[in-house]
Amino acid sequence: MSSILEEPPVLSTPASHFLDDFPARFDEQRWQRSDDQILLTYEVNRTVAEIRKEKRRRVALQFPDDMLADAPRVFDALRKKFRQPDPSQSIPESASRDVLVDDTQRPVLLSNSTEVKLFILADTSYGSCCVDELAAEHVDADVVVHYGRACLSPTTRLPVIYIFTMQPLAMDPLLQAFQETFPNREERVILMADIPYSSHLTSIGTALKHLGYPNIFTTDIVHDPSSPLPNRTIPDDLGADAAKLKQWQLFHISTPPESLLLILSSRVSRMHIFPTMNTKPSRPPASILASSVSALRKRYALLTSVNTVSIFGILINTLSVKNYLHIVEHVKSRMLDAGKKSYTFVVGKVNAAKIANFSEIGAWVVIGCWESTLIDSKDFWKPVLTPFELELALTKDEERIWTGEWRSDFQSILDEPHKNVHASRKGTVWSENEFHDSEDEDEIGAYDAEQESEPPEFDLRTGRYVANTRPMQFSVKSRKTVSSNETDVAHSAKSLVKHFNGELAAIGGEVSPGAEHLRSQRTWTGLGSDFEIKYDEVGIDNGTAVEEGRNGIARAYVHRNGPAVR
C-alpha cells in the first residue's frame, strides 16, 4: 500500500510563503508620468505619422518586460490619434456622412477602410532587444513597432518602426564628470550613449565644445551592427582603417551590455562609463574606467578548453535576424572541416536547464543577435561560445593568433574569406548534393591509413583520452563503387538511419555507434517514436473512423453525449 504524503515535497512552495511578494525591478516614476510625457517618451505622433504614410493596417506593439506597465496607456494614446483625421489628407465629400464631431469639436473619420488594428506583444520569443517577427506573424501584422533599447539587427520579413523611448538625463553632473575625467582639453574623445539616451548627445557635444573641448566626436545611430562602433558612426578621419580607433578614448553614457563592453573596450584606447543610475545620491556621479582584460582572458580560456571537444551543439536563438541560416551552414561546414560532429537545436530563451538535457554535447555555439550570443554564466554545465569564438577554437594551436579583439556580429564572419569553407578532405570532396571521386585512389588510401595510425591524443587540461568521433565518411572501397547513377541513392542513404537485421544501426552502409546508441540506449528518440506506423499491407486493418473527442476548457471537459468531466 502506497504511503500518504503528510507534508508537501521539498520542491513545492511552503503555504506560509505562497502569497509573499518578491522584489522586482520597478520604476516608480513611470506611474507619475502624465499623458504628455507618454506622448513624448513613446513618440506617439511620429509612430502614427509613419504608419499612415506607409498605409499599414495591422500594427504589432512590442514592449520589453520593464515597459509593459505603460503598454495600455500607449495603446490608448495611439488609438485616440488614429481616430483623429489625418492632417496630411482632406476628408472627401463622399465621406461626409461618416464624419462625426467629438468632444473637442474636431471631425473624426469613421470609415472602416482606414481602421488600424493594434496588438500588444508581450513575453517575446527571444531577447527583448530583437524584433519578435514570430509573434507579429501570429496576428498577421504588417509592421512592428519596437519600443526600448534595440540591437538593430536587420530583419528578414517585416518592416520595423524603432521607438527608443527617450529617457531624461541630468546635464550638469555629466559635464562635471566629463571635465574630471579629461582634464586635458585637447584629448580626442568619442561621445557615445546607450540608445535611450542618444537624443541628448547633440546638446552634450555642443556644451563640451563651449567648455573648450575641440576634439569631440558625437556619434549618430546607424543600422549597422558590423560597424567598428556597433550601430554608430565613426570619425571621418578613420576611413576604412578601424585600427585608428586606438587613438581615441570613449565616453559612454549608461552601462552597456557585456557584449558591447567587450567590443568597445577592445577597439579604443580607453573607455569611460558614466552611470545613469546613481547608487550613492549623496555623491555626484563619476565616470568609471572600464576594463575588460579579465573578461577577455576568461573568454579566451573558455574557447581554448573546447579544442578536444568532438560533439558540438548549435543553438539557433533567432528566426528573424537576417542571414542566420547562412551562419548556421557556415558553422556546420567549419565543424565538418575540423572533423567534429554537430547537432542543431532551435530554442527560445536559452537557460541552463534546457541544454543540460543533452549530456553528449561537449560545447555549444549560439546563433542569435550580436547582443544575445554572449552567455557567461556558471550555471551552464558546458561552455557556450559565439561564432567568432568558434572560429578561434577550431584553429590549430600553432596557427591561432589572439589579438585581443572581440566580435559578436556573425555578419562580419560571413563577409571574411575563409579557407576550407566547404567540407573537403584530401582525396575526397563532399557537398550537399554530390560526391566526387579522387583521381588518385592510392593517395586516398594512404590518407585513411595515416588517420588510423595516428598516436593517441590526450587532453593536458583534463588528462583524459581524446576520442576523435569524426562524422561518418565512406570508406575507400565504398567510394569506388559510387557511380554517377548512384549519386542520389548514396546521398539519400546518408540521411537515413537504417537497422540491419535488428542488430546495429548504420548510416550510408557504415555502422554508426552514435545511431546505435540512440536506438538502443535512449528511452525516447523523438516525436512519434512510441508507436509504429503501419501502411496498407495484406492482413492489416487500415484504421478506424475519426471520432469527435472532448471539448471545453481544461477544468470542465464536455463529451459529445455525456456530462462534464471535472
Side-chain angles (χ1 to χ4, degrees):
M1 183 175 180
S2 60
S3 60
I4 300 175
L5 288 177
E6 297 180 356
E7 58 182 9
V10 178
L11 296 180
S12 65
T13 303
S16 58
H17 301 284
F18 184 72
L19 296 177
D20 283 0
D21 294 331
F22 294 93
R25 184 178 178 182
F26 181 73
D27 187 3
E28 296 182 356
Q29 296 181 354
R30 177 171 289 117
W31 295 99
Q32 301 174 1
R33 289 177 179 170
S34 63
D35 292 340
D36 292 337
Q37 289 177 328
I38 289 291
L39 294 177
L40 179 63
T41 302
Y42 292 92
E43 302 183 55
V44 173
N45 292 329
R46 181 172 75 87
T47 304
V48 173
E50 292 195 18
I51 292 174
R52 283 175 168 173
K53 179 181 178 181
E54 300 297 331
K55 299 181 180 179
R56 308 296 183 183
R57 291 294 173 261
R58 301 179 68 87
V59 182
L61 309 177
Q62 179 181 342
F63 292 86
D65 294 342
D66 59 342
M67 293 184 181
L68 279 177
D70 285 342
R73 299 182 65 185
V74 176
F75 181 93
D76 291 338
L78 288 172
R79 186 170 55 180
K80 291 178 181 179
K81 288 293 182 180
F82 280 119
R83 288 178 177 176
Q84 298 175 4
D86 188 354
S88 62
Q89 297 180 359
S90 59
I91 302 176
E93 296 181 359
S94 58
S96 59
R97 63 178 180 275
D98 294 332
V99 176
L100 299 179
V101 177
D102 62 4
D103 297 336
T104 59
Q105 300 299 317
R106 288 177 296 185
V108 179
L109 186 61
L110 300 180
S111 175
N112 292 330
S113 61
T114 59
E115 181 182 3
V116 177
K117 292 187 177 180
L118 305 175
F119 305 88
I120 297 177
L121 304 183
D123 190 17
T124 55
S125 302
Y126 300 99
S128 59
C129 63
C130 300
V131 178
D132 195 353
E133 290 185 325
L134 289 179
E137 288 180 340
H138 287 168
V139 296
D140 197 22
D142 50 15
V143 67
V144 179
V145 181
H146 184 281
Y147 294 98
R149 68 178 319 279
C151 60
L152 299 181
S153 299
T155 56
T156 56
R157 295 181 291 273
L158 293 177
V160 185
I161 299 175
Y162 288 100
I163 304 298
F164 299 138
T165 59
M166 296 179 294
Q167 300 297 323
L169 182 65
M171 185 75 69
D172 293 338
L174 187 146
L175 296 177
Q176 180 181 353
F178 188 93
Q179 295 179 73
E180 294 175 355
T181 304
F182 302 102
N184 181 12
R185 299 181 183 271
E186 299 298 326
E187 194 72 51
R188 308 178 76 182
V189 182
I190 296 176
L191 269 181
M192 183 174 173
D194 201 11
I195 285 182
Y197 299 95
S198 296
S199 59
H200 302 281
L201 287 180
T202 302
S203 57
I204 295 174
T206 303
L208 289 175
K209 289 182 179 180
H210 290 163
L211 292 175
Y213 288 90
N215 300 322
I216 298 294
F217 177 78
T218 304
T219 59
D220 294 324
I221 296 178
V222 293
H223 293 246
D224 184 12
S226 300
S227 174
L229 299 177
N231 294 321
R232 301 298 193 278
T233 56
I234 60 176
D236 296 333
D237 58 347
L238 297 183
D241 189 4
K244 293 182 179 180
L245 276 175
K246 287 292 184 180
Q247 303 173 3
W248 292 75
Q249 296 193 46
L250 180 67
F251 188 83
H252 193 279
I253 302 173
S254 185
T255 304
E258 187 175 1
S259 58
L260 182 59
L261 175 63
L262 290 179
I263 295 172
L264 296 177
S265 60
S266 65
R267 295 182 182 180
V268 297
S269 174
R270 285 187 176 184
M271 179 178 177
H272 304 269
I273 299 176
F274 178 78
T276 54
M277 299 294 293
N278 189 10
T279 57
K280 298 180 179 179
S282 59
R283 298 181 181 178
S287 64
I288 303 171
L289 179 61
S291 176
S292 61
V293 176
S294 59
L296 288 175
R297 288 176 179 173
K298 183 178 179 181
R299 300 305 301 180
Y300 184 65
L302 187 68
L303 66 93
T304 53
S305 67
V306 302
N307 284 348
T308 56
V309 170
S310 58
I311 302 178
F312 283 83
I314 302 175
L315 289 172
I316 300 180
N317 193 33
T318 180
L319 295 178
S320 60
V321 177
K322 187 178 180 181
N323 292 334
Y324 79 94
L325 289 177
H326 294 78
I327 191 62
V328 170
E329 293 302 322
H330 174 81
V331 167
K332 288 182 179 179
S333 65
R334 290 285 291 157
M335 291 179 180
L336 187 60
D337 287 341
K340 311 291 186 180
K341 285 185 178 179
S342 64
Y343 296 91
T344 305
F345 303 84
V346 179
V347 296
K349 296 178 180 178
V350 181
N351 57 53
K354 289 181 181 179
I355 64 178
N357 292 319
F358 306 96
S359 58
E360 295 86 356
I361 305 298
W364 298 89
V365 181
V366 179
I367 306 297
C369 79
W370 66 275
E371 281 193 6
S372 62
T373 53
L374 178 60
I375 299 178
D376 187 10
S377 175
K378 296 180 180 179
D379 296 335
F380 290 88
W381 187 32
K382 298 297 177 62
V384 183
L385 307 179
T386 66
F388 168 71
E389 293 171 339
L390 177 70
E391 294 287 328
L392 294 176
L394 297 182
T395 306
K396 296 181 180 180
D397 291 339
E398 59 272 14
E399 299 177 358
R400 185 186 300 113
I401 299 176
W402 179 253
T403 62
E405 182 186 8
W406 194 87
R407 290 178 291 172
S408 60
D409 176 49
F410 62 72
Q411 186 60 43
S412 59
I413 299 175
L414 294 175
D415 295 338
E416 289 183 354
H418 286 276
K419 296 180 180 180
N420 302 325
V421 174
H422 298 287
S424 61
R425 299 291 183 270
K426 187 176 180 181
T428 301
V429 179
W430 175 81
S431 65
E432 289 192 9
N433 300 320
E434 57 185 355
F435 294 91
H436 298 285
D437 294 334
S438 172
E439 297 179 357
D440 192 357
E441 295 292 349
D442 295 335
E443 196 172 324
I444 298 176
Y447 177 71
D448 290 340
E450 181 182 354
Q451 286 184 324
E452 295 295 334
S453 62
E454 289 181 352
E457 181 181 357
F458 292 89
D459 189 350
L460 298 179
R461 288 172 289 269
T462 62
R464 297 180 179 179
Y465 171 71
V466 178
N468 295 318
T469 54
R470 294 180 293 272
M472 296 302 300
Q473 303 175 14
F474 284 111
S475 63
V476 178
K477 181 178 180 181
S478 62
R479 279 196 293 263
K480 290 181 180 179
T481 59
V482 176
S483 62
S484 58
N485 295 331
E486 297 172 340
T487 299
D488 296 337
V489 177
H491 177 57
S492 62
K494 185 176 180 65
S495 60
L496 297 176
V497 177
K498 298 182 178 180
H499 299 271
F500 289 93
N501 299 326
E503 297 177 356
L504 295 176
I507 299 178
E510 299 286 341
V511 175
S512 171
E516 175 61 25
H517 173 79
L518 180 64
R519 182 185 69 86
S520 60
Q521 301 298 328
R522 287 281 190 178
T523 57
W524 186 80
T525 58
L527 190 63
S529 60
D530 53 345
F531 63 92
E532 181 180 359
I533 299 177
K534 296 182 179 180
Y535 298 96
D536 296 341
E537 298 180 7
V538 179
I540 297 180
D541 191 4
N542 291 330
T544 58
V546 177
E547 297 181 358
E548 183 179 353
R550 295 182 297 179
N551 61 74
I553 60 177
R555 68 176 183 178
Y557 287 113
V558 179
H559 287 282
R560 181 177 57 179
N561 297 321
V565 179
R566 298 183 181 272

